Structure formats: structure tokens, C-alpha cells
Amino acid sequence: METHKHPSLATGRNQNDVSTWRGGRSRRNAVSPTVLALTALAGLSWWLLPPTLVQEINPNLAEQLSEPQFSWSQITPSQSLEYHDCFDGYQCARLDVPMDYHRVDGQGTRMAIAIARLPAKVPVTDPRYGGAILINPGGPGGSGVAQALLSGRNLQTIVDATAIPSADTMDKSLDQYFDIIGFDPRGVDNTTPSFSCFPNLFSQKSWELQAEADGMLGSSADSFMRNWQRAIALNIGCSQAITKPSGPGEDVLGEHTNTPPVARDMLEIVERHGEWREKQGLEAQRRHDHRYGLDPQRAIIARTVWNRGQEKLLYWGRSYGTVLGGTFAALFPDRIQRMVLDGVVDTDKYYSDAGPDPIGDSDAIFEKFARYCDAAGEECPLYAAGGPAVIQESYKALEKSLLNTSMAVLPSTTRGPEVVTWTDLKTVLRIGVYQPLAGFAFLAEIASDLIKGDGSKLADFKHGRRAPSCPSDECLIAGPWSPQCQVPGQNELYSSSAILCSDAEYMQKVDEQGFQQNWRSLQELSSSVGDYWAHVRLGCVGWSVSPKWKMPVPVTGNTSHPLLFVNNILDPVTPLQSAKKMSGAFPGSVLLQQDSEGHCTLAAPSVCVSKGIRRYFQTGELPEPGTVCDADLKPFLGAPGKVEARSIEDEILYKVLLEEALRIRPVFPL
Ligand SMILES: *[C@@H]1O[C@H](CO)[C@@H](O)[C@H](O)[C@H]1NC(C)=O
Ligand SMILES: *[C@@H]1O[C@H](CO)[C@@H](O)[C@H](O)[C@H]1NC(C)=O
């Protein structure tokens, strides 16, 4: 696992904000009006702006995060969905489910799945209501609640019909409007019970600072030993923390955080949604009949009826979310209404280690970095005459010069003294290949500064990602390891390991020699992310947790509706090859390709891809097999070719896609 916490090029605001609307204290700066004004200027090449500025022009974020206090503990978990207003226009519920679905004695531990629903633009009783789309942001360990709060409105804009729905409920149009539902998977954030690898957040943060200072695998001659020992110390303790039963006869969380029970949770959400919808329908029919007289057809009841045991899933997952979706599709193939899988993981490789490592296309993305920089000329800070090869060489020489050493950076008005290192540069590179549109310009700027001996921007970046924490008063009173010391939203990296390591048990069982061998082969496969990928696997060394419900491979199924796969042509960790393979495992599915680089298609806007996704949700129709869509923007270069005038509808779509593409995502491997 990467030794850093979430990156945010915007001085760490992403992460802080995430904790804010989970009940933390706000420390967000206001969006600078100057920046807003600046970007409104016609002709400003925003994609050449440093991402710090780009992040600040994201207006939605600012609005959503000035949220009055809401606490999940105010909601009592229930076996039916009971929604409570929460955040700004959302509804929250805690769904009570068994920890072990296979337990037959009716006893056993219960879990409460945290659910956030962005309601559709029409009532659920309206003929134009299309259903609830469940989402997952990846990870493993990513919070679907956070995704719904941050991106829900944009995702809804992508899938909904373009027309603003008229108030006329007898509207006979075929337009569909959807709920967006995010949920926290087991072991993640607001879903309970949770677990902790540290006695309090202070201890976690100091561990993370020290790990950062040690440097990642490959950063120095002793990097292996340092990281291996850290993995042992952290992971043995974490896996003990997650396998401690809370009492006699209780189930053990660590045996039930892997993906199959989460897929079963999704089925439960879908069923309970049907139950809830039916209840709304009964009430709406009563109101309707009271007002307009008895409807002999009972039309509202007819269209909202709960198809008990047969409710179907609408789902949109990316990266690890494709593992979750694929697992659901294999376990419950007759329960699929729509499923979009973006940034497709080779799910057999994930579960069983059989097949090629997934990072084979990542260096090609780094080569694109040099190509785009060369094409941009002097606008790219790292530009050097002589072609892309010269630019690549100058970056590589810089990387090498930082090995075994570090660069001193004097204090500034906003931070103390720092040193910047090879590890820091590699982190910026990793963000770049995952999200080129948001990260390449920053990478070029950082690299160019470092070559000139100036590490101050990299130091600012490093500093901005930190969020030191003092234990709260409640935590100090209750003492170390107490629930009062657990802070939701801060445990995601460790949740990630809890899920990954029990899905991929083979990662737990590796000795030093075997690990180093694998590390070397990953380095050979990718100079850009090989070391990072080895870190992901290191995150499982020392774990010893065996899940109760194991997933058989190959992951395959004949689904009740064909799946839609989408993938970038060049993806650093979910290569096109994996998407083709998984599409082959689900008969009738179609793979829609986006001609761009980065992890998941949302890394760059493509109105074409989004319209394909919208059409699929609206009508169920799939794109022609073999369809390749252009991306609407390229790093450094802006729009490729001539920009054609967009319709108003497409312009709205483009804007939300752009906002999503520029949002720096948390540091999860998948
Ligand atoms: C880093 O240090 C190791 C061990 O001292 C040495 O073998 C290696 O050549 C050094 N690398 C660079 C780029 O200086
Ligand atoms: C799907 O259906 C085909 C054709 O009927 C069959 O050959 C195949 O085994 C089925 N796959 C699964 C996973 O059930």
C-alpha cells in the first residue's frame, strides 16, 4: 500500500473535506473569487494551469461541504430501508444485514450498511422513474457514500434524460430519471462495525509520516528492509484487530469483508429498495384516489409493486468497482437490469493471481507524457528541443539524481522546512499516469523546478496532503483503541487492505524472497508504477485472514441483461486487454473504448462515451461492438483537432465530465 494518504493537489483539501461532511470540523478555505473570475476569461488555457488552481474552480465541492452537522449515529439501523434527510438534498439510511449470510442459526452479528441516496428528479411513483443506480468508486476501500456526495449530481446528469422533467405526472415521454445510491462497503467508513489498526488518529498520522520519510520501495538501498518491517508491524496488528470477536458466538468482521458478501449486500439493498418503493406507491395511490377518485387500474401501485425476490440491480462501478460488479453478475446473473463497468479489472487475476500483472501499459502512458509535452512546446515546463525522447531522458535523469539523496527546501510563509525525495517525485508521476489530464501539467512543472534545484512546489504539495490530528477529548478520556478514538473516513487505506487481502489470499502468503522476485518483475514491467504496485502487494504481507465466503474463478455468467464495459485504450492498471477478457466472460456484453490515457474513462471527458452510457441506462441498448470514442481533451493540448460547436445538452455533459476528470481521486490502487 502506498505509504501516503490521499493526494490532493489542492493543498490537501479533498481529504479534509471528506472528513468534514462525515462529522469532522470544517477547515476549508473559501473558493477564491479571483480564480473564478480568471477562468471565466475567454481563451484562458485552463489545462495549462497548475492543478492547484484547477481544483479551486470546482464550485460544487465548496457548496456541498458547508454542511451542517449530521451524524450517522442519529440513525437506528433497520432491516427495511428507512430514509432520513441528510447532507444537502440527500437521504441516508442504515440497513441492518447479517454479517454472515450463510449462518443458519438466526443468531450472529449484525452489520449496518451506510447508504446515501440522491433522489431522482421525479418521485419514485412517477412513470418516468428509472430506478436506483448503485455506484462504487473503486479502492478497494473507497466510500460509496463519499462518492455519492461528491459526484452523485454529476453522475445523475450523465445518466438522466436531458429534459428537465415537467411537473405533469401524466407525461407520456420515455425519458427516465434515476436515484443515485452510494453505500460504504463492509469495513469502510460509516458502515459498522468498523475496525482500527491504530490506537488513535495521532498514532496513525505519525506512522504515516515516518513511512513517508523512510521512502517507498526502490527509493534507496535499504528500502526493502524498511518497508518489509513496516508491513509486518502494521499488518499483523491490523489483521488481529479485524479478527477479534466482540463476544462469544459473535462473527468476526475480518472473515466477512471480502467482496462476495458485499455483492450480497447490494442484492439486499436492491430488494429493500423494492419494498420501500412499493410502500411509497401505496401511499401515493391513496393520495391520488382521494383527490381524483378511485383509479380502477390502480396504476401507481401496479408500477411500484415490489417484485419480491426478483428485484433487479442497476449499477455503475469503476476500477475495483468492476470486481464488485463482476462478482455480483457471476453470483446473481438473473438479477441484472443494467451494469456499467469502467476501468475493468481482470477479476480472475485479482482473485487467484492467474494471468499477467495489470501494469503493462503504464509506461506507454509515461511516453505519451513526453509526446504531449513535446507537442505543447514552450507551454510545457519540461519542454526541451530534440523531441519526446529528450524530454523522457531529462525526467529519468532527474529521477536517478534523487535516488539515495534528497533535496533541501527552506520554510515558506505557509509551512516549515522540508526535504523532498525520489518517493515524492514518484508519487506525482503516479498521479500523472492515473489522471493525465489533471496530473501531467503538474508533473512537468514539478520536474522542471527540481531540475533547477527548486523543490518548493513539491514541498507545498507534500505539506498540503498532510492532516495532522490530535486525539479528541472523548478519545483521551476513553483511552487508546476505544471506539471514541476511531474517526470515520480516516481508515480507508487500511480498509483497502482488509478487503484486498481477503479477496486475494495469495498476497498474504509470500516470503521475502518470493516478494522480491515479484517486485523485480513488476519493475521490469513498468518503470513508472512497478514499485508502487509492489507496495500494493506489500499491504497484505503479514495479514492472516481467511474469508468464509470465497469467490470461485473464473468469474463469468449469463446475465439477464448484457453488461456494458468501458475502458481507456491506455490504462495504467486496468489495461484494455483485461476489459476485452472480462467482456468475453459475460456473453452479450459490449466493450466501449475511449481513445485516451489514464485510469477509468472519467479521467478525461468524452461526451461520446457518456452518451453511450446514458443511452444504455435509458433504453438498455448497447453501442455497436468495436466502437471507439474520442476524448474531448488531451493533456497540454486541449481539444484535439477542430472543436465543433456543441449543443446545449452536450455542453452540460461536457462540463460535468470535466469536473469529474479534474477531481484528484484518493490513493487507491484500483
Ligand atoms: C544508491 O546506493 C546504492 C548502495 O549504496 C548504490 O549501489 C547505488 O548505485 C546508488 N544509486 C545511485 C543512483 O546513486
Ligand atoms: C452460458 O450459456 C451458454 C450457452 O447456453 C453456456 O454454454 C455457458 O456454459 C453458460 N455460462 C454460464 C456461466 O452459465
Side-chain angles (χ1 to χ4, degrees):
M1 203 56 42
E2 170 137 346
T3 49
H4 296 270
K5 62 190 193 61
H6 302 178
S8 162
L9 300 186
T11 63
R13 286 208 345 248
N14 271 7
Q15 163 124 40
N16 293 346
D17 287 348
V18 165
S19 57
T20 301
W21 29 258
R22 286 168 186 147
R25 251 168 257 127
S26 173
R27 49 185 127 172
R28 180 175 42 80
N29 305 318
V31 174
S32 152
T34 333
V35 175
L36 286 172
L38 265 178
T39 49
L41 290 176
L44 184 73
S45 308
W46 60 263
W47 57 87
L48 292 170
L49 292 174
T52 37
L53 292 186
V54 172
Q55 286 278 308
E56 275 182 301
I57 64 176
N58 178 343
N60 235 8
L61 208 63
E63 265 169 42
Q64 292 201 7
L65 302 172
S66 48
E67 170 60 29
Q69 298 303 315
F70 161 78
S71 163
W72 288 89
S73 61
Q74 294 162 357
I75 301 180
T76 308
S78 54
Q79 293 186 26
S80 296
L81 280 175
E82 284 170 22
Y83 282 113
H84 304 254
D85 288 341
C86 61
F87 305 105
D88 185 12
Y90 286 77
Q91 296 200 311
C92 293
R94 295 176 73 200
L95 187 63
D96 177 310
V97 300
M99 187 176 273
D100 181 355
Y101 280 101
H102 292 122
R103 192 159 163 163
V104 289
D105 64 2
Q107 310 283 308
T109 311
R110 310 292 300 183
M111 303 199 68
I113 310 293
I115 295 170
R117 165 178 177 263
L118 175 64
K121 296 192 188 101
V122 297
V124 289
T125 53
D126 191 286
R128 295 162 297 178
Y129 176 68
I133 299 174
L134 271 60
I135 55 173
N136 179 279
S143 160
V145 167
Q147 187 194 13
L149 296 180
L150 270 178
S151 301
R153 288 197 164 84
N154 285 345
L155 298 179
Q156 196 176 52
T157 301
I158 295 170
V159 296
D160 272 359
T162 51
I164 294 166
S166 65
D168 175 11
T169 53
M170 301 315 280
D171 183 349
K172 286 285 184 293
S173 77
L174 295 172
D175 287 350
Q176 304 264 291
Y177 301 89
F178 299 93
D179 289 334
I180 302 292
I181 289 187
F183 66 96
D184 286 347
R186 292 159 174 241
V188 177
D189 282 16
N190 305 296
T191 284
T192 55
S194 54
F195 73 102
S196 181
C197 305
F198 297 90
N200 56 45
L201 200 52
F202 175 79
S203 148
Q204 178 182 326
K205 296 292 177 187
S206 29
W207 169 274
E208 288 167 354
L209 281 174
Q210 293 172 78
E212 178 189 273
D214 275 353
M216 69 186 281
L217 284 171
S219 61
S220 67
D222 59 1
S223 71
F224 172 75
M225 181 276 295
R226 290 187 180 281
N227 281 284
W228 184 267
Q229 296 303 338
R230 277 197 181 276
I232 300 287
L234 174 68
N235 297 341
I236 290 179
C238 276
S239 99
Q240 282 167 359
I242 204 172
T243 48
K244 215 167 26 196
S246 59
E250 295 286 331
D251 297 303
V252 165
L253 178 62
E255 294 173 352
H256 303 282
T257 51
N258 62 327
T259 303
V262 178
R264 179 63 185 81
D265 290 337
M266 293 208 299
L267 188 63
E268 194 65 20
I269 295 172
V270 168
E271 274 297 313
R272 295 299 159 189
H273 182 78
E275 177 190 36
W276 175 82
R277 187 192 58 228
E278 179 174 270
K279 215 168 125 205
Q280 310 306 307
L282 285 169
E283 283 166 22
Q285 187 78 65
R286 206 174 299 132
R287 281 195 305 272
H288 175 277
D289 292 356
H290 183 73
R291 237 167 113 185
Y292 304 106
L294 205 65
D295 167 17
Q297 316 277 325
R298 311 197 52 162
I300 300 177
I301 287 179
R303 67 174 169 258
T304 51
V305 69
W306 176 19
N307 302 305
R308 203 181 276 255
Q310 292 173 41
E311 288 287 328
K312 289 195 168 79
L313 171 74
L314 294 91
Y315 177 77
W316 186 359
R318 65 177 186 228
S319 194
Y320 162 78
T322 69
V323 174
L324 179 55
T327 300
F328 183 99
L331 292 175
F332 314 109
D334 55 341
R335 304 304 269 314
I336 307 252
Q337 186 173 340
R338 304 279 186 271
M339 183 174 284
V340 174
L341 302 180
D342 179 4
V344 186
V345 177
D346 177 343
T347 306
D348 301 329
K349 168 75 181 174
Y350 174 87
Y351 280 123
S352 72
D353 207 21
D357 282 303
I359 56 175
D361 286 348
S362 51
D363 282 357
I365 300 177
F366 174 67
E367 280 162 29
K368 287 271 190 173
F369 165 71
R371 292 246 292 274
Y372 290 136
C373 181
D374 179 62
E378 298 294 341
E379 304 226 56
C380 171
L382 201 59
Y383 174 77
V390 175
I391 296 169
Q392 266 196 58
E393 275 323 302
S394 84
Y395 173 84
K396 293 229 157 123
L398 167 67
E399 227 183 48
K400 195 157 176 230
S401 76
L402 281 173
L403 255 184
N404 296 350
T405 178
S406 50
M407 190 184 284
V409 183
L410 298 186
S412 76
T413 50
T414 52
R415 53 155 177 79
E418 287 279 355
V419 291
V420 294
T421 64
W422 184 90
T423 298
D424 300 325
L425 179 60
K426 283 296 237 193
T427 300
V428 175
L429 173 67
R430 194 197 67 76
I431 295 169
V433 298
Y434 268 61
Q435 293 187 262
L437 200 62
F440 272 179
F442 188 63
L443 174 63
E445 192 185 21
I446 290 291
S448 149
D449 280 4
L450 290 174
I451 288 170
K452 294 180 203 132
D454 176 3
S456 59
K457 283 207 191 77
L458 185 50
D460 290 345
F461 165 71
K462 224 175 138 164
H463 176 74
R465 285 157 40 105
R466 292 186 190 136
S469 171
C470 296
S472 63
D473 291 346
E474 295 81 14
C475 167
L476 286 173
I477 292 164
W481 301 104
S482 62
Q484 288 85 341
C485 293
Q486 292 185 28
V487 182
Q490 295 287 339
N491 202 34
E492 285 181 355
L493 275 184
Y494 311 97
S495 306
S496 187
S497 292
I499 298 164
L500 176 68
C501 309
S502 61
D503 274 339
E505 279 186 85
Y506 57 88
M507 288 192 194
Q508 303 177 12
K509 301 177 185 100
V510 60
D511 60 14
E512 292 186 40
Q513 257 182 347
F515 181 86
Q516 283 182 297
Q517 211 176 339
N518 181 251
W519 175 25
R520 270 190 297 276
S521 76
L522 290 170
Q523 281 178 319
E524 271 161 34
L525 202 53
S526 169
S527 70
S528 45
V529 299
D531 295 304
Y532 169 71
W533 207 249
H535 257 282
V536 173
R537 297 186 74 136
L538 195 57
C540 291
V541 167
W543 277 88
S544 58
V545 171
S546 188
K548 281 266 170 78
W549 183 354
K550 293 184 207 293
M551 187 62 195
V553 291
V555 174
T556 167
N558 290 317
T559 53
S560 48
H561 192 86
L563 313 188
L564 173 57
F565 290 92
V566 287
N567 216 84
N568 283 339
I569 288 182
L570 282 181
D571 187 301
V573 289
T574 57
L576 190 59
Q577 206 48 46
S578 302
K580 286 182 175 161
K581 183 198 151 177
M582 293 313 294
S583 180
F586 289 95
S589 69
V590 168
L591 167 61
L592 173 60
Q593 301 178 35
Q594 178 169 312
D595 185 6
S596 58
E597 305 84 33
H599 185 37
C600 302
T601 61
L602 281 174
S606 168
V607 168
C608 168
V609 163
S610 288
K611 284 167 118 172
I613 292 173
R614 174 184 288 159
R615 189 167 74 120
Y616 175 75
F617 275 113
Q618 289 284 323
T619 68
E621 286 168 77
L622 292 138
E624 278 300 307
T627 306
V628 180
C629 283
D630 281 331
D632 301 325
L633 279 177
K634 291 286 182 187
F636 291 119
L637 304 177
K642 222 175 98 224
V643 191
E644 285 160 37
R646 269 187 283 263
S647 66
I648 292 171
E649 287 84 8
D650 287 1
E651 191 61 31
I652 292 170
L653 203 46
Y654 175 76
K655 284 219 170 91
V656 307
L657 292 171
L658 189 56
E659 195 174 303
E660 290 303 313
L662 296 180
R663 175 170 293 144
I664 299 299
R665 295 202 290 266
V667 173
F668 286 120
L670 287 170

